[in-house]
Amino acid sequence: MRNLVLFVWAALCLTSAGWSQELRLPRIFSDHQVLQREQPIPVWGWAKPNQKVTVALQTKVAVTKADAQGHWSVSLPAMEAGGPYSLMVVSNKDKIELKDVLIGEVWLCSGQSNMEWPLSKANDAAAEISQANYPNMRLFTVERRVSLTPLDDLESGSWEACTPQTAADFSAVGYFFGRKLYNDLNVPIGLIHSSWGGTIAETWMSLENVSNVPDFEETAQRLSPEVIEQEMKVQQASLADLTSLFPALSNPAAVEKELLWKSPDTDISSWKTATLPAAWETFGWPEVDGVFWFSKTVTVPAGFSGDATLYLGQIDDSDQTWVNGELVGETWNKYDAPRVYSLKPGVLKAGKNVIVVRVTDTGGGGGIYGQTGVMRLEGKGLNISLDGEWQYRPSPTDLTKGGGNGMSPNSRPTLLYNGMIKALVPYAMRGAIWYQGESNAGRAYQYRALFPALIQDWRSQWGTELNFYFVQLANYMDANDQPIESGWAELREAQAMTLSLPKTGMAVTIDIGEAGDIHPRNKQDVGLRLALNALHTTYGKEIVFSGPTYQSMEVKGNEIWLSFTNTGTGLVAHDRYGYLKSFAIAGNDKEWHWAQARIVGDKVVVSSPEVLHPVAARYGWANNPEDANFYNKQGLPASPFRTDTWPGLTKGVK
């Protein structure tokens, strides 16, 4: 065997005395990479047209010929975990040698901001980073990129060994998932991180498959080259109109001069008018990212004094807010967080008061976009609605169209598949982990079809049934005193329904969210629960990998008996009270009431004196069911569920 290896390397080196850029590998291939074990290993790239290409990895050798466009691909035989090895690619006098290549388990980590969230911002970040020294765990981060057409390669990126320096900025969820696999499987782990905060699921899908999803047939027609070219012309014209309307500030202190707009004495007679709340895409600025200023004058009645509270609702992505020229609050990079700012006594005065908000958007929709009725100014004896007309002006000093390339990632489907996924195909991997859904919560019923279609899309692109594990949305926003309908609950339901696909699993996080922050810092448990799914379903470990999962119901008199799978070694109420909470029950009138719930063996029995003839039950059905405490004895929480199929908030919403 040793002689064979030496012969192969000698033959390659004899034909590779020179070096040029004619021979090229995609950027997903680099020193320190991990290749998938126990599967054929695709290797591809570019060379001179019709040129012979030889690829060698240890004793595995494959020979092919580049086509007329210079593209080539080979498939090396499957190998067991091991390394480090060198991967050699030779064509005529061109040679590429990749060093420190490992064979192990490769996973793709994708989604929106909670997958993008770095280790440096997770709980116990300093301690976690200092311990992130795993030389045989390798990390690759895909640079953000939007594209109208599928791209064959990435703009940048390389594999790096996991060290405190490289792990700090890597996906926290991906890191904790990989660390668990690394410690349990004792093989090299490769993690490819490709995510973008605030993005919708359909932007991660290919054109050929998103066009088959109900509600997206017409949208997909907008993706033809002819339509796209025409839209780009219209957008560039609108940007030209914008810059002519608000000429750029030309002096060196442009930003400082712009900040003077916070003053209540600013002349806003040339500013435009918009009705808020609304994203600025809806009032004439589609796909524009950057900074917009908003101003509103309100009249405070004579005699008012004391403190007050300013409610602005949600702002995408960041804001700085002034009242009468005084900064009263600022929030950065929290596109879904309600803005609530306290005004100390003396900020407001009787008569005219000016509220100024500087909004910064870095991608996707932008503006003060929350629900009607939320924007208001409150104090003792004071309640002023802020809905309605505001004056606004875009900032010409920081204005782009979709980051400068004419689009934002949510402009239309396929943009991030084209720019951040296609170039990874067909790199061999075991599967993917996914944390996304927040941006689709307003269309939760649609997600029932969309999310499974995304999984099937990726599987069709790779030509294999990738394992796919995802995170169910965490609890978020204010808790409710009474049972209510909930778009976030409906999105969680859509995620749970996707478990009907084979080789899927779900990490339930209903217990580790934060009411006031869409980005909970506990990423350790998220990564761990994803890894438990993988260890059980993909790697065959006999472990408890999920919390209780609703299976069926039976009505007995005035009680509903609920049955579950994944009960582990038993069911428990997981807090100091010792009894179950967050269950609700309803009769044919569809009026929900909190239920008394008790554990009987592997079942839960629910009832309410207000519902004599129950027909349906729910658990954890809210944006933030903060009292949800139903677990198995292994400490894994039950997934929220409902037994009814009554229409909710998002049925029919497209």
Side-chain angles (χ1 to χ4, degrees), residues 62 86 108 140 145 161 219-220 232 234 239 247 258 357 366 369 377 436 464 479 494 523 594 606 618 627 648:
S86 291
L108 173 61
F140 187 102
R145 193 177 186 186
T219 302
M232 293 296 291
V234 172
L239 186 58
E258 178 188 304
V357 184
Y369 73 97
L377 188 59
Q436 190 275 339
T464 186
K523 303 304 187 193
W594 293 125
V606 293
R618 292 179 175 179
D627 60 348

Side-chain angles (χ1 to χ4, degrees), residues 74-152:
V74 299
S75 179
L76 295 171
M79 297 176 62
E80 295 299 318
Y85 306 128
S86 291
L87 176 68
M88 182 79 83
V89 183
V90 174
S91 179
N92 195 14
K93 294 184 179 181
D94 298 339
K95 179 183 73 172
I96 297 174
E97 182 181 357
L98 303 183
K99 300 178 180 179
D100 189 31
V101 175
L102 302 178
I103 310 294
E105 290 295 307
V106 181
W107 288 83
L108 173 61
C109 315
S110 189
Q112 58 180 110
S113 55
N114 272 304
M115 182 62 78
E116 194 176 30
W117 201 256
L119 181 61
S120 60
K121 294 184 179 180
N123 281 349
D124 303 318
E128 295 285 11
I129 291 171
S130 69
Q131 299 168 23
N133 191 16
Y134 298 94
N136 284 348
M137 187 161 83
R138 306 294 171 80
L139 313 175
F140 187 102
T141 297
V142 176
E143 184 179 357
R144 285 181 170 192
R145 193 177 186 186
V146 174
S147 178
L148 292 166
T149 57
L151 301 178
D152 291 330

Side-chain angles (χ1 to χ4, degrees), residues 116 125 151 156 302 348 378 393 410 469 512 560 563 576 598-599 632:
E116 194 176 30
L151 301 178
S156 64
L348 290 178
E378 284 189 356
R393 172 174 179 171
N410 291 342
Y469 302 116
I512 56 178
I560 294 180
S563 298
R576 61 189 177 87
R598 67 184 192 277
I599 296 171
N632 57 28

Side-chain angles (χ1 to χ4, degrees), residues 18 37 50 127 237 289 316 349 375 441 462 514 600 649:
R37 66 171 174 165
N50 305 310
D289 301 325
D316 191 349
K349 59 184 180 181
M375 299 176 66
W462 265 271
E514 298 177 23
V600 180
L649 292 177

